[in-house]
Amino acid sequence: FEGGEGSGKSTQAAMLADRLKSFGIDVLLTREPGGSPAAEVIRHVLLSGVAKTLGAEAEAMLFAAAREDHVFNTIEPALARGQWVISDRFADSTRVYQGSLGQVDARMIRRLEKLTIGETRPEVTFILDLPAEQGLARANARRGNDKADRFESEALEFHQKLRDAYRQLAADEPFRCVLIDASAPRVSVGMAIWDVINRRFDPATAPLFVEGASP
Ligand code: T5A
């Protein structure tokens, strides 16, 4: 799942995981930055904003270090066990935040991507799309009195450009990336996502997961 701040990625990733589990499918729900113990430490560094002064390239390298550990220690073992992996953000976040917005050279972004994920690419990426003002309002409401993190505290213009960059990504990779109208109520957004999952993966015919049984 990809998209701007507060677009509903965590909500929809969890809803999809629950729905797949109800079909007896073994699902791993994970997130970036993070998803493994070492990557969670890097997440803390990045979102605190202490790495901002190092510049977008250094931040891209830190996100890459976290991703490498996440892929190696969490995602690949899960896939090897036969689990379906749902990640709340992945490599497209680096393309968009550090690449399109941070203006890190596209060749460097591609090299980092090759190094960190290799062939472990998502079969489908849902890009949750809604106006930046709406996403930020949702993120602010959920955060309450807590401080905005490194990227939430960027200006509105940053978030508007972020939305444009994600829409461009969806246009560039129309099969892998599915643009979803995230301004609709949670249930309607979930139905649009489920419709794509149903058509592409037919979960009703997937092998059943039996607790305790070997894969
Ligand atoms: N980053 C990350 C990079 O710069 N490069 C990278 O390579 C990577 C991996 C991560 C930050 O790091 C940056 C991007 C990010 O800035 P994060 O805390 O994980 O930070 O932040 P986000 O991924 O942006 O997650 P958020 O929690 O802010 O947003 P979500 O997950 O999109 O939204 P969600 O589901 O938490 O929903 C937000 C609120 O809206 C409500 C929810 O209940 C919640 O209160 N909501 C809705 N309300 C109305 N209608 C709907 N349809 C709703 N859906 C959800």
Side-chain angles (χ1 to χ4, degrees):
F1 282 85
E2 291 281 357
E5 312 289 317
S7 54
K9 299 175 296 300
S10 310
T11 303
Q12 293 301 328
M15 278 170 59
L16 177 59
D18 286 346
R19 201 156 197 177
L20 289 169
K21 283 177 193 166
S22 76
F23 276 76
I25 293 171
D26 191 6
V27 179
L28 176 85
L29 179 58
T30 187
R31 70 167 179 184
E32 287 208 352
S36 65
E40 289 291 331
V41 174
I42 301 174
R43 174 188 174 91
H44 180 71
V45 171
L46 280 161
L47 298 194
S48 71
V50 293
K52 185 177 177 180
T53 52
L54 302 176
E57 282 194 359
E59 285 185 311
M61 286 190 272
L62 283 168
F63 279 113
R67 181 162 304 123
E68 200 276 338
D69 193 72
H70 180 214
V71 170
F72 187 74
N73 288 309
T74 303
I75 295 180
E76 286 179 346
L79 293 173
R81 287 192 296 271
Q83 289 183 290
W84 290 33
V85 176
I86 300 175
S87 189
D88 182 350
R89 295 196 180 278
F90 198 54
D92 291 328
S93 288
T94 303
R95 284 197 202 177
V96 168
Y97 280 76
Q98 284 67 51
S100 306
L101 275 290
Q103 296 183 334
V104 174
D105 190 292
R107 284 167 302 180
M108 177 172 167
I109 297 286
R110 273 199 299 276
R111 282 197 199 117
L112 287 175
E113 204 170 294
K114 200 168 173 203
L115 200 68
T116 54
I117 72 174
E119 297 308 313
T120 311
R121 293 176 183 278
E123 288 179 64
V124 64
T125 300
F126 293 104
I127 297 180
L128 301 191
D129 178 60
L130 85 170
E133 295 89 338
Q134 217 176 316
L136 288 173
R138 285 184 191 172
N140 289 341
R142 190 213 40 212
R143 196 174 58 245
N145 291 327
D146 292 347
K147 200 167 155 269
D149 71 25
R150 155 73 180 91
F151 295 96
E152 282 169 351
S153 45
E154 290 284 352
L156 178 62
E157 194 193 356
F158 174 96
H159 296 282
Q160 285 164 338
K161 286 185 178 163
L162 200 64
R163 182 189 189 195
D164 294 342
Y166 270 119
R167 291 173 71 97
Q168 184 61 51
L169 179 65
D172 291 344
E173 292 195 42
F175 183 73
R176 177 177 67 87
C177 298
V178 182
L179 197 70
I180 298 283
D181 175 9
S183 64
R186 287 174 190 77
V187 173
S188 313
V189 178
M191 289 303 289
I193 290 165
W194 185 246
D195 184 45
V196 175
I197 293 289
N198 239 337
R199 278 189 280 115
R200 292 210 191 171
F201 302 101
D202 197 4
T205 62
L208 283 183
F209 166 63
V210 181
E211 195 96 46
S214 51

